[in-house]
Amino acid sequence: MKGCDSLATERGLKVLADERREAILRAVERQGSITVKELAEEMGVSAVTLRQDVRELAGRGLLTRVHGGARALAPAGPAPAETPAAAEPSATERYAVGLVVPPGGYYYAEVIRGVQDAARPLGVRVVLAVSGESLSENQEQVRRLVAGGIDGLLLMLHPGLRPVDEAEQWLSGLEVPAVLVERRAGIKAGRLEQVASDHAYGAALAVRHLAGLGHDRVALVARVESPNTAHLSAGYAEAVESMGLRPGPEYRIVTGADAAPADGRFDEVVRAVEAGEVRAALVHNDIDAIALVGILRARGLRVPEDLALVTYDDEVAELSETPLTAVAPPKQAVGAWALDLAVRRLSRPATPQAEILLRPELRVRASCGARRRAHAGASD
């Protein structure tokens, strides 16, 4: 009997869905076009449900899906005089995806470009929003995007978002599919798919390269506020241990508005280089690495002779006076994979959820020098 009740419920839901879709088609035929928001209010259903209905009808070729709604199919075979060459371009789109990014920072530009390049051939419209620093600001940005008719979300939320538990609980309850981009969430946000660079692997690449040049001790210099520092530190420590290197110092650089001038931020690092205690380092990021090179030069120290240096990011590393060897996270690929995941989820909701880590690459330039002579302790 219970099975019969379940079957009856399923049939009832199907009838309701069919009735909604017939009502949508009648509204489109009558008005020429509809907006999801207005029709959802008129029918007393959620905008999310109505968007799914519109997507289904468009997939069956019964209407044309546009941003925020739908319109009737164009009449077949119009005469040339009825469709002038200057007609406005088609607004047809497959999906609309909201992309939320933090303010400022050159890192995100390449990720955004990757999303855009992947979206165009798939017929996806990307709607960009800039996140705030507080949880409530991010919630409001997402609320506006969803209310505006987006089908899915790509989220590069502010790295300092607090409290973490509350943020992850909110993310796990989003009403549209979402993908975290260059961010990693805990198990409380398990419904979210994730695409990120494997920064731990990238840090290990740098350590292995420097060790291969004869350095048995490598320092790590990283920004306190970066969301990637914890991953860099983990990969760095694992590489040091696995290669049997002497543990090197880890320096944390504060770059906020109240931070010390550049010379002061790097003072501890420079003193260690002057004393010969540090001869090789991984520095995150390019701007800090270039600043450090300038400070060392002002103190009469040289790269790579006094400090073999690998930077992390490779946005402007080769523009340094001494072109810098750099670990390059695959930023554009991260954006492209994130967009692809969102589209897969929208097209095939039953697809298994994914967490994707993409590996950075090492780009060797002049800042590391050649292999150190073990007997002389100097660079070639």
Side-chain angles (χ1 to χ4, degrees), residues 207-229:
V207 172
R208 293 190 188 103
H209 179 69
L210 290 166
L213 295 174
H215 296 280
D216 65 351
R217 189 169 189 246
V218 178
L220 174 64
V221 183
R223 292 192 174 201
V224 168
E225 71 271 19
S226 170
N228 300 329
T229 292

Side-chain angles (χ1 to χ4, degrees), residues 347-372:
S347 304
R348 298 190 293 277
T351 300
Q353 291 186 321
E355 179 177 344
I356 298 173
L357 287 178
L358 302 179
R359 289 183 169 179
E361 63 175 305
L362 183 73
R363 296 171 181 168
V364 178
R365 301 188 181 99
S367 63
C368 292
R371 181 177 295 276
R372 287 165 54 86

